Amino acid sequence: MLLRTRTWAAVNSGTGNIAGLATMAGMLADAFSALPGALRLVEPVAAERVAVDGTVSAVTHGRHLHLSVRPDAARRLLLTGHMDTVYPADHPFQVLTDRPDGTVNGPGVADMKGGLAVMLAALEAVEAAGCPIGYDVIINSDEETGSFSSAGLIEDAARGKIAALTYEPALPDGTLAGARGGTGNFSIVVRGRSAHAGRNPQDGRNAIVAAAALALALNAAKSPRLSVNPARIDGGGPNNVVPDLAVLRVNFRPADAAEIARARAAIDAAVAEVAAAHDVQIEVHGSFNRPPKPIDAGAARLFGLVQAVGTDLGVPITWRDTGGVCDGNNIAAAGTPVIDTMGVRGGAIHSADEYLIVDSLAERAGLSAVTILRLAENGL
């Protein structure tokens, strides 16, 4: 597992590095081909982004890996992970370093190339035991930017499964993520009218001012169960020109479906009010791409099973709620109980201090393997 992690982490596979993702997909396809079943690399669904000039363009993503094993089995699971990292091809963090405290520092070692190694080792152990359970494996190439080109693939694979395991890293002490809030990212394009700032400013319609008003209106919608973060305004130009274009970027973090509905209503109301008050045109791009993930009855049973397995293996298992999001949110929204931090123990992810705890590789692979075997025997 450590060798696999090192080999995979040595390949830069930032979400936008299409060549690196192609290399990574090929390496993963070779490794996961050791398992029975049908393996394919799936073309990404079209996705788009809004540029600083307000134009909408397509975003290129890498292919996604899909392995299906024993599709006719009575009990089937979904296991997911991602091959992309947050480190682009030109990022200075590219080297792995062994530390004397038993950790390895390197890009993606915890998030989540170490997790992919744990997933594969667990499945190899399950196959060696002759377990008849069926399962799908999805490893996508765009999780770090929202899984826009793979969400449908994951949703389809989640349907009909008794449970799902996702290999995001656990916390350094082994704590798992419990309930998660949702997230929505929006790019709101404001189009005004340019004019000379001194000669005839009254003829202009200031897009920057309108975007600022929109940011304030949306910020006022926040509550203890809805975080609103107006993060950036792009636009403007010379000081003597009334700006005719601005792009407001806003992130929402709803705790439940009711807060998503309230946020959508706040967006609609703010857009209508600002457009009328400032005589501008406003286009809203974006969505709530990660629904909230509560701990419902099925998820509680799955957590209880993993905790019992941990007790038998001498691995204490606890969990706590988190504001972070991942593909586990979408799997839960499809109605499948999921634990989404079955990967290595590690920390400082998304930074140049990212590390994995080497001893956690075997520990977490054992936890997964026995969990899968018990799901095969007893379900939930």
Side-chain angles (χ1 to χ4, degrees), residues 11 42 53 84 133 137 186 211 233 255 286 297 302 321:
V11 177
V42 182
D53 63 358
D84 63 323
I133 198 165
V137 173
F186 292 83
I233 295 177
L302 183 57
D321 297 349

Side-chain angles (χ1 to χ4, degrees), residues 24-39:
M24 192 70 216
M27 295 170 74
L28 291 172
D30 288 344
F32 278 79
S33 292
L35 301 171
L39 187 148

Side-chain angles (χ1 to χ4, degrees), residues 177-274:
R180 294 182 183 268
T183 190
N185 290 293
F186 292 83
S187 296
I188 304 177
V189 180
V190 181
R191 300 185 188 277
R193 185 188 308 146
S194 62
H196 195 287
R199 178 174 294 183
N200 60 328
Q202 70 280 356
D203 294 334
R205 300 293 182 266
N206 193 309
I208 294 287
V209 172
L214 189 58
L216 291 171
L218 294 174
N219 189 63
K222 66 185 177 183
S223 73
R225 297 184 62 76
L226 177 66
S227 170
V228 183
N229 183 43
R232 177 171 176 163
I233 295 177
D234 295 307
N239 284 354
N240 61 350
V241 177
V242 176
D244 63 352
L245 175 69
V247 182
L248 170 64
R249 319 283 182 169
V250 189
N251 174 255
F252 295 84
R253 299 275 174 157
D256 53 42
E259 289 302 306
I260 290 181
R262 194 171 71 82
R264 284 177 171 148
I267 294 170
D268 291 343
V271 166
E273 179 183 348
V274 171

Side-chain angles (χ1 to χ4, degrees), residues 94 256 270 272 290:
Q94 304 282 353
D256 53 42
R290 301 287 199 200

Side-chain angles (χ1 to χ4, degrees), residues 5-17:
T5 303
R6 290 183 187 280
T7 302
W8 296 340
V11 177
N12 180 281
S13 56
T15 312
N17 182 0

Side-chain angles (χ1 to χ4, degrees), residues 1-6 113-114 117-119 121-122 361-363 365:
M1 282 183 280
L2 182 57
L3 176 59
R4 284 170 173 163
T5 303
R6 290 183 187 280
K113 291 174 180 178
V118 165
M119 180 206 295
L361 287 163
E363 170 193 292

Side-chain angles (χ1 to χ4, degrees), residues 125-326:
V126 167
E127 292 298 333
C131 178
I133 198 165
Y135 53 88
D136 279 13
V137 173
I138 301 288
I139 303 176
N140 57 349
S141 69
D142 64 341
E143 191 278 337
E144 293 292 6
T145 54
S147 303
F148 289 101
S149 78
S150 58
L153 178 67
I154 293 170
E155 182 180 349
D156 289 344
R159 293 195 187 100
K161 302 299 192 295
I162 63 170
L165 305 174
T166 295
Y167 287 80
E168 297 288 349
L171 293 178
D173 66 357
T175 300
L176 306 178
R180 294 182 183 268
T183 190
N185 290 293
F186 292 83
S187 296
I188 304 177
V189 180
V190 181
R191 300 185 188 277
R193 185 188 308 146
S194 62
H196 195 287
R199 178 174 294 183
N200 60 328
Q202 70 280 356
D203 294 334
R205 300 293 182 266
N206 193 309
I208 294 287
V209 172
L214 189 58
L216 291 171
L218 294 174
N219 189 63
K222 66 185 177 183
S223 73
R225 297 184 62 76
L226 177 66
S227 170
V228 183
N229 183 43
R232 177 171 176 163
I233 295 177
D234 295 307
N239 284 354
N240 61 350
V241 177
V242 176
D244 63 352
L245 175 69
V247 182
L248 170 64
R249 319 283 182 169
V250 189
N251 174 255
F252 295 84
R253 299 275 174 157
D256 53 42
E259 289 302 306
I260 290 181
R262 194 171 71 82
R264 284 177 171 148
I267 294 170
D268 291 343
V271 166
E273 179 183 348
V274 171
H278 294 263
D279 191 19
V280 296
Q281 294 181 332
I282 301 177
E283 305 162 4
V284 179
H285 302 270
S287 65
F288 288 93
N289 62 302
R290 301 287 199 200
K293 190 196 81 170
I295 300 297
D296 59 14
R301 288 193 295 272
L302 183 57
F303 272 100
L305 171 61
V306 173
Q307 188 173 55
V309 171
T311 297
D312 290 343
L313 296 177
V315 179
I317 298 296
T318 60
W319 55 89
R320 68 168 185 243
D321 297 349
T322 176
V325 295
C326 71

